[in-house]
Amino acid sequence: MKKKPGLKDIAQEAGVSTALVSYVLNNKKEGRINKDLAQKIKQIARSLNYRTNQIARSLKTNRTHTIGLIVADISNNFSSSLARIIEDEADHHGYTVLFGSSDENDAKFERILDTLVTRQVDGLIMAPPENTENQVRILQQQQVPFVLFDRYYPGFQCNYVALDNFGAVYKGVTHLINKNRKKIGLITYRSSLFHLQERVRGYVEALNDNGIGFNPERLKEVDIIYRKTEIETAIDDLLFHKDPVDAIIFGSNSIALNGLKHILKRNISVPDALEIVSFDETDAQDLFNASMTFLRQPMLEMGQTATRILLDQMNKSKTPQEIILQAEMIHVER
Amino acid sequence: MKKKPGLKDIAQEAGVSTALVSYVLNNKKEGRINKDLAQKIKQIARSLNYRTNQIARSLKTNRTHTIGLIVADISNNFSSSLARIIEDEADHHGYTVLFGSSDENDAKFERILDTLVTRQVDGLIMAPPENTENQVRILQQQQVPFVLFDRYYPGFQCNYVALDNFGAVYKGVTHLINKNRKKIGLITYRSSLFHLQERVRGYVEALNDNGIGFNPERLKEVDIIYRKTEIETAIDDLLFHKDPVDAIIFGSNSIALNGLKHILKRNISVPDALEIVSFDETDAQDLFNASMTFLRQPMLEMGQTATRILLDQMNKSKTPQEIILQAEMIHVER
DNA sequence: TGGCAATGTTTAATCGTTTAAACAAAAATA
DNA sequence: TATTTTTGTTTAAACGATTAAACATTGCCA
C-alpha cells in the first residue's frame, strides 16, 4: 500500500505549518485564518486526495467514532436486521460499526469483546451469551459504555433494551386458549439466559392462570445451537403422542422456519389441526400458506433505542437505562 | 470512560522502562529478557487488566488488522451470509470487520468507502453499486488493497470474485426448455451493472440457441431498490397476458420471496402451470411447498476466496485475481 | 509615538505504542 | 588482567494528528 499523504505533505506544498493545515481542514479558528490561504490549503488537500488519518486522530482525541456490535450470528435474520438498524442510527451520528458473531459461545464472546475494546471502540452494543456476566461486570467496572440488547442479567444494573419475553409468551398462550386450544406446546431454547427463562415462566403462568396446568411433556427445549433434527424430534414428540398438541409456539424465527418445514413435511393441517404462534415475524414466513400468529419484536425501536442510549452514555455518563419493550401480536389470516 | 492502563502504568509498577514491557508482552527478544522479570511484568499486566491500545499500535505499525466490508444491505440474507463467512475467514487470520451498507447508492457507497479508508482499514471487500467505477479506480491508484465480490467492471483489471451470471441464467433457461417450457419469463434488476446485464444476455442467448427467440414482453426488470408492487405487477403482466408464460426465473432471493408470495396469492399451481427457477437458494424458500429449481451461488467459496485474495494482496501485492464461480443448479422435488 | 488589541501563523507537547540503537554489567576469552 | 562477547535493559525517535500557548505583525487609539 502506497504511503498516504498526510498533513505534512499539504503543509509542505502550501509552505505553512501542519498546525495551520489542521485548523483549516477542521474549520477551527474560522475567524482568524486568512481566507485565501485557507482556500489554497483546501485545494491542495483535495488535489492530493488527502484523507484524515483517523487512527492518528483517535490516538490524540481518545475517540474512534466506532461502536462495537456483538451479535449471536450476523447471518441470522434477527441479528442482521438489528445490525442494519444500528448501522443507520450510528451513521446518523458519525459512527461506524465493528462487529463480531459470538455463536452463543462465551469464550468466543470474550475474545470478540477483547478485540473490540483493544481497538478502542467508543462503546458496545451486545447480546451476551450464557456465562458471560463476569466479563460484562468487568467491562462496567472499567467504565466502558455499553448497552445489552435482547438479553440482560436480572439484578445487574446496566443499560439494556430487551423484550418482555414473559409477557409475549403469556399473550401468545392466552390467545391460543381464547381460540379454544388447550393443548399447547412450546419449542424454545434450553438455556440459563434470563430472557429465555422468562418465556418458560410466561408459558407456565399463562397455562396456570387459565386453569389448564403445565404439562412438562409439552415444553420442548432445544440447544441454542440446535441441530435441525432436534426440532423435528420435538415436533414429532408433540404431534405423534397419545395426547397430541393442538397448538405450538415457536421461540424464534429460526425455530419457526425449521418447525414449519417439518410440519409441511408431516402434512399437518394448519390452523385446523394445529394453531401456530411464532416469535419474530420475518417476511419469509409468509411463504407458509396458512393462517398464523406472530409475536413481533419491535426491532426498529430496539435497535434505535439501544444505539441512542449508547451514544448518550458515551457523552455523559448517566444512570443505567433499563428498557423493556412489548411484543406486538399479529394475526395473519390466509 | 475511565482512563485505561497503558504500558507506562505497568512499567512504573514494575520499575522498568515501557520498552521492556512492550518487548515482554509481545514476546520479542525472548532470549534476552530475564525470565523472572518477564513473569512479573506479565503478572502486573494481568492484574491491571491491561489491553494493548490497538490504535497506538496501529499508528506505529501502519496496520489496523481491520478489513472493511461494503455490502448492499447487511439485513439482506445474501449480504449477511457473506458477511458471516468473511468474518470467520478474517478472524482466523486475526482480522476484524468494519462494515457498511450502500443501499445500491453510489453517493452512500463513496461515503462509506471514505469512512473506511480514513479508518485505515488494511483492505476492503465490497460489492460496488452503479456508477462507482471511478471511485474504485482511484482506490486502485492509491494502492489500497481490495477485492470486489458479486460484481465487477468488464475491462477493469482488479481483484474480484463473482458468479458466472450469464452461465447461470443460460443453464436455468435450458433446464426449463428441457422440461418442455417454451414461454419463459425473467424477473431481474434493471441496472447497468455488468453482472446483471450478463443475466439478460444469458437469457436471450439461451432462448435463441434453442430456437425460441427473445420476447421482450417476457423480460421484466425491476428497480434495484424495488417496491413490492413492481414485482407483483411484473408477475401479473407475465401471467395474465394473452399468451401467458409457463415458467419464471427470479433474479435474486428477495425477488423470489416476493414473487412467490404473489404467486401464492394468485393461486397459481406450481410447477404444473408454472415452473419456477430462482437464484440464491435460502432455507426460507423451502416453506414454499412446491417443486422448484435453484441456481445456488457458492457463497462459502465466494466469501472465503474473496477474503483470502485480500489477505494475500495485503501482504505481498500480486497480479489481480479475477475469479468467476459457477452456480450450481439444484432441483428440489416436493 | 508608544502601548495595546486584534489578527494570523508557528512551536512544541502530547496521545500510547514500537523498535533501532545505545548503554551497562556480567561472563567468556585471550 | 585486559579485551571481547553476551546478556539485559534503557533511551529516544518515530507514527500523524490535535491544540494550548507563544510569537509575530499589523492596526488602532490616545
Side-chain angles (χ1 to χ4, degrees):
Chain A
M1 189 151 33
K2 212 188 322 200
K3 206 184 144 305
K4 298 178 182 153
L7 288 187
K8 216 188 300 182
D9 303 281
I10 301 175
Q12 202 146 37
E13 183 145 347
V16 297
S17 71
T18 60
L20 188 57
V21 177
S22 173
Y23 286 130
V24 167
L25 297 183
N26 292 303
N27 297 311
K28 299 213 167 155
K29 307 241 184 137
E30 291 247 42
R32 325 259 316 230
I33 296 165
N34 182 311
K35 282 210 155 199
D36 291 343
L37 185 52
Q39 267 324 102
K40 180 178 162 199
I41 288 172
K42 283 184 178 168
Q43 171 51 39
I44 293 173
R46 217 170 306 121
S47 76
L48 290 180
N49 234 306
Y50 170 80
R51 310 195 221 218
T52 304
N53 183 326
Q54 182 64 40
I55 293 294
R57 176 185 285 171
S58 291
L59 181 59
K60 181 65 183 152
T61 62
N62 212 25
R63 286 252 164 195
T64 55
H65 284 273
T66 301
I67 73 181
L69 172 66
I70 309 183
V71 296
D73 174 6
I74 194 70
S75 73
N76 179 85
N77 184 262
F78 177 77
S79 298
S80 65
S81 296
L82 244 129
R84 180 57 206 263
I85 294 162
I86 291 169
E87 177 199 350
D88 285 350
E89 192 65 24
D91 183 57
H92 283 144
H93 296 85
Y95 283 80
T96 309
V97 181
L98 257 179
F99 78 93
S101 305
S102 75
D103 285 323
E104 299 287 0
N105 171 15
D106 54 358
K108 187 150 189 235
F109 174 81
E110 277 191 41
R111 251 200 37 236
I112 297 172
L113 186 54
D114 198 74
T115 306
L116 297 181
V117 173
T118 267
R119 278 171 173 68
Q120 311 296 118
V121 295
D122 293 336
L124 288 150
I125 297 179
M126 48 195 190
E130 278 185 296
N131 307 318
T132 54
E133 187 169 345
N134 262 337
Q135 283 305 307
V136 178
R137 279 195 192 278
I138 291 175
L139 207 61
Q140 195 176 46
Q141 276 162 29
Q142 290 169 160
Q143 300 187 43
V144 178
F146 67 86
V147 179
L148 308 184
F149 74 92
D150 189 47
R151 356 203 143 161
Y152 59 102
Y153 313 101
F156 175 1
Q157 284 227 338
C158 68
N159 302 298
Y160 62 79
V161 184
L163 193 75
D164 174 9
N165 279 282
F166 171 86
V169 174
Y170 193 101
K171 216 177 335 186
V173 171
T174 308
H175 163 79
L176 289 169
I177 292 171
N178 289 341
K179 286 202 132 188
N180 219 23
R181 305 286 166 142
K182 303 233 145 59
K183 299 185 281 183
I184 302 168
L186 170 64
I187 306 184
T188 182
Y189 297 111
R190 173 176 41 254
S191 168
S192 65
L193 284 166
F194 180 70
H195 76 293
L196 292 174
Q197 301 277 333
E198 282 292 279
R199 291 189 179 173
V200 175
R201 196 169 67 83
Y203 173 68
V204 173
E205 205 154 306
L207 289 173
N208 286 335
D209 288 358
N210 286 278
I212 291 183
F214 166 56
N215 177 348
E217 290 192 347
R218 298 206 174 121
L219 168 62
K220 298 293 178 185
E221 296 184 298
V222 299
D223 198 279
I224 200 156
I225 302 291
Y226 65 83
R227 285 157 300 113
K228 230 175 125 183
T229 54
E230 278 190 82
I231 290 179
E232 293 167 357
T233 309
I235 288 178
D236 285 345
D237 282 359
L238 292 173
L239 290 177
F240 307 118
H241 187 271
K242 59 184 181 323
D243 190 15
V245 299
D246 53 16
I248 294 183
I249 302 180
F250 290 119
S252 76
N253 64 354
S254 119
I255 293 180
L257 193 62
N258 288 295
L260 291 176
K261 275 190 214 176
H262 193 63
I263 286 169
L264 211 54
K265 194 158 95 193
R266 288 289 186 244
N267 226 335
I268 308 293
S269 152
V270 175
D272 298 337
L274 189 68
E275 276 274 353
I276 302 284
V277 170
S278 166
F279 264 75
D280 302 338
E281 179 180 24
T282 67
D283 49 4
Q285 286 159 357
D286 293 355
L287 289 183
F288 188 80
N289 193 23
S291 301
M292 50 188 291
T293 302
F294 295 98
L295 297 167
R296 183 192 284 164
Q297 303 203 40
M299 301 294 282
L300 187 67
E301 196 179 351
M302 188 154 154
Q304 288 185 339
T305 308
T307 314
R308 284 179 196 152
I309 291 177
L310 182 64
L311 293 171
D312 238 46
Q313 300 276 335
M314 282 170 8
N315 295 320
K316 50 218 160 295
S317 180
K318 303 202 307 183
T319 68
Q321 305 274 303
E322 316 196 323
I323 313 273
I324 297 288
L325 303 175
Q326 296 304 316
E328 185 187 359
M329 194 162 69
I330 313 274
H331 190 69
V332 180
E333 204 69 54
R334 287 201 184 88
Chain B
M1 187 150 34
K2 213 191 317 202
K3 203 182 143 308
K4 297 175 182 157
L7 289 186
K8 217 189 297 183
D9 303 282
I10 301 174
Q12 202 145 39
E13 181 143 348
V16 298
S17 70
T18 61
L20 187 58
V21 177
S22 173
Y23 287 131
V24 167
L25 297 183
N26 293 303
N27 296 310
K28 297 212 169 158
K29 306 234 184 152
E30 292 247 45
R32 325 253 322 221
I33 296 164
N34 182 312
K35 282 209 152 199
D36 291 344
L37 185 51
Q39 267 325 103
K40 179 178 164 200
I41 288 172
K42 284 184 177 168
Q43 172 52 39
I44 293 173
R46 216 169 308 122
S47 77
L48 290 180
N49 234 307
Y50 170 79
R51 310 196 222 218
T52 304
N53 182 326
Q54 182 65 42
I55 293 293
R57 174 185 286 171
S58 291
L59 180 59
K60 183 65 186 151
T61 62
N62 212 26
R63 286 253 165 193
T64 56
H65 284 273
T66 302
I67 72 181
L69 172 66
I70 309 184
V71 294
D73 175 6
I74 194 71
S75 73
N76 178 85
N77 185 260
F78 177 77
S79 298
S80 66
S81 296
L82 243 126
R84 181 57 207 264
I85 294 163
I86 291 169
E87 177 199 350
D88 285 349
E89 192 64 26
D91 182 57
H92 284 143
H93 296 85
Y95 283 80
T96 309
V97 181
L98 259 178
F99 79 94
S101 304
S102 75
D103 286 324
E104 299 288 358
N105 171 18
D106 53 359
K108 185 146 190 241
F109 174 81
E110 277 190 41
R111 251 200 40 235
I112 297 172
L113 185 55
D114 199 72
T115 305
L116 298 181
V117 173
T118 267
R119 278 173 174 66
Q120 312 296 117
V121 294
D122 293 336
L124 288 150
I125 297 179
M126 48 195 191
E130 278 184 299
N131 309 318
T132 53
E133 189 171 341
N134 262 338
Q135 282 305 307
V136 178
R137 280 195 190 278
I138 291 174
L139 207 61
Q140 196 177 44
Q141 275 163 31
Q142 290 169 159
Q143 299 188 43
V144 178
F146 68 87
V147 179
L148 308 184
F149 75 92
D150 189 46
R151 348 189 149 175
Y152 59 103
Y153 314 101
F156 175 2
Q157 284 227 338
C158 67
N159 301 298
Y160 62 79
V161 184
L163 194 74
D164 173 10
N165 279 281
F166 171 85
V169 175
Y170 193 100
K171 214 175 340 186
V173 172
T174 307
H175 164 78
L176 289 169
I177 292 172
N178 289 341
K179 285 201 135 189
N180 219 22
R181 305 286 164 142
K182 302 233 145 56
K183 300 185 280 183
I184 302 168
L186 170 65
I187 307 184
T188 183
Y189 297 111
R190 173 174 41 254
S191 167
S192 65
L193 284 167
F194 180 70
H195 77 293
L196 292 174
Q197 300 277 335
E198 282 291 279
R199 290 187 180 177
V200 175
R201 196 168 70 82
Y203 173 67
V204 173
E205 207 153 303
L207 290 173
N208 286 335
D209 289 357
N210 286 277
I212 291 182
F214 166 56
N215 178 349
E217 290 193 345
R218 297 205 175 121
L219 169 61
K220 297 293 180 187
E221 296 185 297
V222 301
D223 198 279
I224 201 156
I225 303 292
Y226 65 83
R227 285 157 300 114
K228 230 175 127 181
T229 54
E230 279 190 81
I231 288 177
E232 292 167 356
T233 310
I235 288 179
D236 285 347
D237 282 0
L238 291 173
L239 289 176
F240 305 118
H241 187 272
K242 59 183 181 323
D243 190 15
V245 298
D246 53 17
I248 293 184
I249 303 179
F250 290 118
S252 76
N253 63 354
S254 120
I255 293 180
L257 193 61
N258 288 295
L260 291 175
K261 275 190 214 175
H262 194 63
I263 285 169
L264 211 54
K265 195 158 94 193
R266 288 288 186 245
N267 226 334
I268 308 293
S269 152
V270 175
D272 297 337
L274 189 69
E275 276 274 352
I276 302 284
V277 171
S278 166
F279 264 76
D280 303 337
E281 180 180 25
T282 66
D283 49 5
Q285 287 159 357
D286 294 353
L287 289 183
F288 188 80
N289 193 22
S291 300
M292 52 187 292
T293 302
F294 296 98
L295 297 168
R296 181 192 285 164
Q297 304 203 39
M299 303 294 281
L300 188 67
E301 197 180 350
M302 187 154 154
Q304 288 186 339
T305 307
T307 313
R308 284 180 196 152
I309 291 177
L310 182 64
L311 294 171
D312 238 44
Q313 300 276 333
M314 283 169 8
N315 295 322
K316 51 218 158 292
S317 179
K318 304 202 307 182
T319 68
Q321 305 273 304
E322 316 197 322
I323 313 273
I324 298 288
L325 302 174
Q326 296 303 316
E328 185 187 359
M329 194 161 70
I330 313 274
H331 190 69
V332 181
E333 204 69 55
R334 285 198 186 90

